[in-house]
């Protein structure tokens, strides 16, 4: 059965009515977007002859997605979050804005409210026998290489199981473990003393993994560390680096890897003097270059619901 009804007046009237397109009440932008997305869905059902069974499978999938609290995780997994980055990169290019540390996706696991320290922060609160010490440090500068004093560098990452505090299903981590924030001094330098993360994997029974299974895809990320960086008169940077050598670096289910975001991992000694749990440790230098406001505005600020907690 391959009927075509999308172009009929009945269906077009239905779309207009369902989205209240052009209606007095409601929000015109919301109506416009709803009308378009609904139209694209109806057209796909027509074009691909999507069956009622398939439609209901999709509808009930949305229930599971919400129950699992995984809509933002799915957004990363289906490339939607990466797509927004591609668009922001293109918008920068269109206005001649080049240089600076490349952006990459925020992901769904940020928690606002980490304690802010001056210059250096030790962020491994809970012991993790399987994770070795790691120092992450660098300088925040502007495009001309001038160190930015008073910049705010926030980082968050997973433990040796690939779990993030606040979202850890084992309950093994306290609030803000492996999450921290530092304010730079006159030299623009920041440093986090922490433990080596391991890559994240989607919850195996969750809606996101269910969809990925159907596509024949895995739901894993290489080991990585997230950053938010802000400084007066500069645009907020959202980025991450990957841990060099992780086998999934170019096979990230969230497509966040970028060539410029794989800093070398260097073996060091002298960890005891830094208060690390072993004298031998790994160090990653990750310098952060911010771009100036665009006509006085930060067009990189993204508003989205985020978890928050009290330190
Ligand atoms: C993560 O840690 C992450 O960064 C993303 C984008 C998705 C899931 C888990
Ligand atoms: Fe992450």
């Amino acid at each position: 059965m391959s009927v075509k009804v999308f172009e009929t007046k009945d269906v077009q009237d239905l779309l207009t009515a369902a989205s209240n397109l052009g209606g007095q009440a409601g929000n015109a932008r919301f109506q416009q977007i709803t009308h378009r997305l609904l139209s694209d869905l109806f057209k796909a059902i027509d074009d691909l002859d999507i069956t009622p069974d398939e439609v209901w499978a999709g509808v009930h999938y949305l229930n599971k997605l919400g129950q699992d609290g995984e809509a933002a995780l799915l957004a990363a997994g289906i490339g939607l979050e990466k797509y927004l980055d591609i668009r922001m990169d293109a918008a920068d290019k269109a206005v001649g804005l080049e240089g600076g540390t490349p952006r990459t996706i925020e992901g769904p696991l940020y928690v606002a409210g980490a304690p802010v320290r001056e210059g250096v922060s030790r962020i491994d609160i809970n012991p993790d026998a399987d994770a070795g010490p790691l120092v992450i440090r660098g300088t925040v500068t502007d495009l001309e290489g001038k160190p930015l004093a008073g910049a705010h560098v926030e980082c968050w990452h997973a433990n040796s199981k690939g779990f993030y505090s606040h979202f850890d299903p084992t309950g093994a981590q306290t609030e803000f473990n492996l999450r921290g924030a530092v304010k730079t001094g006159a030299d623009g330098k920041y440093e986090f003393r922490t433990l080596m993360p391991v890559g994240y994997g989607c919850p195996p029974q969750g809606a996101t993994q269910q969809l990925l299974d159907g596509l024949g895809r895995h739901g894993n990320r290489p080991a990585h560390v997230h950053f938010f960086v802000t400084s007066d008169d500069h645009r907020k940077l959202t980025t991450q680096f990957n841990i060099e050598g992780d086998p999934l670096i170019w096979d990230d289910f969230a497509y966040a890897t970028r060539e410029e975001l794989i800093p070398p991992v260097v073996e060091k000694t002298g960890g005891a003097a830094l208060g690390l749990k072993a004298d031998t440790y790994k160090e990653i230098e990750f310098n952060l270059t911010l771009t100036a406001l665009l006509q006085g505005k930060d067009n990189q600020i993204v508003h989205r619901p985020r978890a928050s907690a009290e330190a």
Side-chain angles (χ1 to χ4, degrees):
M1 180 197 61
S2 189
V3 297
K4 296 289 176 235
V5 300
F6 180 73
E7 303 289 353
T8 63
K9 182 170 185 307
D10 276 358
V11 170
Q12 291 305 310
D13 288 350
L14 178 62
L15 284 164
T16 304
S19 57
N20 196 25
L21 193 68
Q24 289 300 307
N27 176 288
R29 176 67 173 165
F30 187 57
Q31 290 161 349
Q32 176 191 37
I33 294 170
T34 301
H35 180 264
R36 172 57 186 270
L37 293 180
L38 211 48
S39 297
D40 287 354
L41 174 62
F42 283 21
K43 184 153 194 336
I45 291 172
D46 229 22
D47 288 349
L48 306 180
D49 228 342
I50 300 176
T51 67
D53 292 16
E54 288 168 333
V55 169
W56 292 116
V59 168
H60 285 270
Y61 177 80
L62 293 179
N63 271 341
K64 176 168 169 61
L65 184 64
Q67 263 161 18
D68 295 349
E70 289 192 2
L73 179 62
L74 183 68
I78 59 176
L80 178 59
E81 199 171 2
K82 171 67 179 180
Y83 184 59
L84 299 178
D85 275 357
I86 292 171
R87 286 182 47 83
M88 286 191 276
D89 284 355
D92 281 357
K93 196 153 183 241
V95 295
L97 216 162
E98 274 172 88
T101 304
R103 65 167 59 81
T104 198
I105 67 171
E106 171 181 332
L109 304 177
Y110 173 74
V111 180
V116 185
R117 316 247 187 258
E118 299 286 328
V120 183
S121 184
R122 170 97 187 245
I123 61 171
D124 58 309
I125 316 295
N126 307 128
D128 187 343
D130 299 326
L134 169 67
V135 171
I136 301 165
R137 57 168 195 81
T139 307
V140 185
T141 64
D142 66 11
L143 273 181
E144 282 75 49
K146 184 170 76 75
L148 293 173
H152 191 268
V153 181
E154 210 170 346
C155 94
W156 67 102
H157 66 80
N159 69 5
S160 69
K161 310 275 179 295
F163 293 140
Y164 285 74
S165 62
H166 195 87
F167 302 98
D168 187 337
T170 71
Q173 302 182 64
T174 54
E175 214 65 270
F176 293 110
N177 188 44
L178 311 180
R179 299 176 184 274
V182 304
K183 206 175 136 219
T184 60
D187 58 7
K189 288 190 192 303
Y190 79 90
E191 180 173 324
F192 291 106
R193 296 180 188 162
T194 188
L195 298 172
M196 186 59 89
V198 161
Y200 170 94
C202 289
Q205 305 310 322
T208 302
Q209 191 57 57
Q210 182 186 325
L211 182 139
L212 295 171
D213 286 347
L215 298 174
R217 291 180 50 198
H218 70 72
N220 301 310
R221 300 207 59 208
H224 60 277
V225 177
H226 297 264
F227 288 85
F228 278 159
V229 191
T230 56
S231 184
D232 287 348
D233 304 324
H234 292 82
R235 300 192 301 165
K236 174 179 174 176
L237 171 68
T238 301
T239 196
Q240 310 174 25
F241 66 71
N242 286 336
I243 305 296
E244 184 189 51
D246 191 300
L248 287 180
I249 276 201
W250 293 108
D251 192 14
D252 177 6
F253 99 102
Y255 310 104
T257 305
R258 303 186 74 150
E259 200 72 59
E260 309 90 326
L261 302 176
I262 314 170
V265 179
V266 181
E267 286 270 4
K268 304 270 272 195
T269 54
L274 297 176
L276 308 182
K277 74 174 183 181
D279 198 60
T280 304
Y281 67 99
K282 299 225 165 35
E283 184 181 80
I284 294 174
E285 181 179 2
F286 187 55
N287 296 315
L288 297 158
T289 308
L290 300 187
T291 50
L293 295 177
L294 209 66
Q295 282 143 12
K297 287 216 177 80
D298 186 347
N299 65 336
Q300 289 197 132
I301 292 271
V302 173
H303 298 284
R304 59 186 277 183
R306 294 181 173 95
S308 68
E310 302 284 328

